[in-house]
Amino acid sequence: PAHVHKYAQLFGQHTGVRAVVQETMTTEELLLRPLRDKAARRVIRHIAKARRKVAEEDGEAPRIVFHAFSNNGALLFQSVQSQLPHDMSSAVAGTVFDSCPGDLTLNVWVGAVRDAPLSPAVTSAAAGAGILGFLALRLAVGSTVTFAKLVAAGLIGSKVLEYAITKRYHDEFVGVPLRCPQLFLFSNEDTLVSSARVEDLARRRQEAGVPNVRLHRFNGSGHVAHFREHPEEYRDVVFGFLDTMCAGSD
């Protein structure tokens, strides 16, 4: 996808980068954990293939730097790192988190689904099921007042579910065993992922034993829009981070 390819081009401009692997998830993979884990295994195969090719050319396998975008990327990253073989996990030199992690609210899920590729069959099925479900519930309830109470109860229940899902997501993120340097890129104007949440999770990662946690706040840029709105600043921050990876610095 074009929105990912421009970052691959950016990484390719750094003299220390020998290969770039681009991956995205479909909506089905995003929403269903087994499919997400399967997508993670696909990512691992592609990384392994790229490392073998570089090793054949350079005589040694390169280290790995992950760059995740939004909650989609952070969720995929968690699935990937949990399945990495030892020779690859020990080669991870750093991770970059752009506009993530955040809370998994209904609003955020809608945005994530909107940004992920979705097959026409799934779109039609989801739309049809939603409309039919709404009509069936309305007809079954009959009373407008009762229906309104059910809607209110559903909204309260959704908030409880959002909290539980978000807490599990954040706890798993904080518990990732990788202790390599980590860079968090965020903005004070991101309406999907708050700067306070990113700062809190970065702090928790540091408390969990990650010695090198860096944060960079962009001013005025929206969700995953930091590179588009601040290209030079973004390049300098990311390249500065990559420079430490190439130097083998912690």
Side-chain angles (χ1 to χ4, degrees):
H3 65 284
V4 176
H5 185 61
K6 64 182 180 182
Y7 293 95
Q9 291 179 316
L10 174 67
F11 270 82
Q13 294 171 11
H14 191 280
T15 56
V17 175
R18 296 287 288 111
V20 178
V21 175
Q22 306 174 58
E23 290 289 343
T24 59
M25 286 190 294
T26 65
T27 298
E28 297 94 321
E29 291 169 339
L30 171 65
L31 296 177
L32 301 175
R33 183 65 177 265
L35 293 183
R36 193 189 316 149
D37 288 340
K38 184 177 179 180
R41 291 191 290 274
R42 180 183 70 234
V43 173
I44 293 172
R45 288 195 302 271
H46 291 173
I47 294 175
K49 181 179 179 180
R51 295 186 78 223
R52 285 195 300 270
K53 182 178 180 181
V54 173
E56 291 172 358
E57 297 173 353
D58 295 356
E60 61 178 343
R63 289 181 292 173
I64 303 167
V65 176
F66 287 105
H67 194 140
F69 301 93
S70 192
N71 286 311
N72 300 30
L75 286 166
L76 181 57
F77 165 76
Q78 288 180 198
S79 290
V80 168
Q81 67 80 30
S82 68
Q83 301 180 74
L84 280 177
H86 176 71
D87 66 309
M88 292 179 69
S89 62
S90 60
V92 178
T95 56
V96 181
F97 299 102
D98 184 327
S99 304
C100 62
D103 295 345
L104 294 181
T105 64
L106 179 60
N107 181 48
V108 170
W109 274 116
V110 170
V113 170
R114 179 195 62 216
D115 294 337
L118 184 64
S119 65
V122 173
T123 302
S124 300
I131 293 172
L132 290 175
F134 177 85
L135 292 175
L137 178 61
R138 181 66 183 85
L139 290 172
V141 171
S143 167
T144 301
V145 174
T146 302
F147 181 71
K149 290 181 179 178
L150 285 175
V151 171
L155 291 174
I156 295 174
S158 69
K159 290 299 181 183
V160 174
L161 182 61
E162 285 177 355
Y163 173 81
I165 293 175
T166 295
K167 184 177 186 304
R168 178 179 176 180
Y169 168 41
H170 290 170
D171 289 347
E172 288 184 358
F173 179 82
V174 172
V176 168
L178 294 177
R179 293 294 180 264
C180 56
Q182 296 170 13
L183 172 64
F184 292 82
L185 307 174
F186 61 104
S187 167
N188 58 328
E189 295 296 329
D190 190 331
T191 58
L192 290 181
V193 174
S194 73
S195 57
R197 179 62 69 202
V198 173
E199 290 171 331
D200 174 63
L201 289 170
R203 174 188 58 78
R204 290 177 61 187
R205 282 296 288 159
Q206 194 163 32
E207 292 175 351
V210 180
N212 188 340
V213 176
R214 307 182 187 187
L215 297 97
H216 187 87
R217 182 200 295 261
F218 293 89
N219 292 318
S221 48
H223 188 62
V224 196
H226 317 315
F227 183 37
R228 183 180 69 240
E229 299 185 24
H230 305 284
E232 294 300 325
E233 182 181 355
Y234 194 97
R235 181 184 184 280
D236 290 345
V237 172
V238 172
F239 277 25
F241 185 70
L242 290 176
D243 287 342
T244 64
M245 306 299 99
C246 294
S249 170
D250 289 332

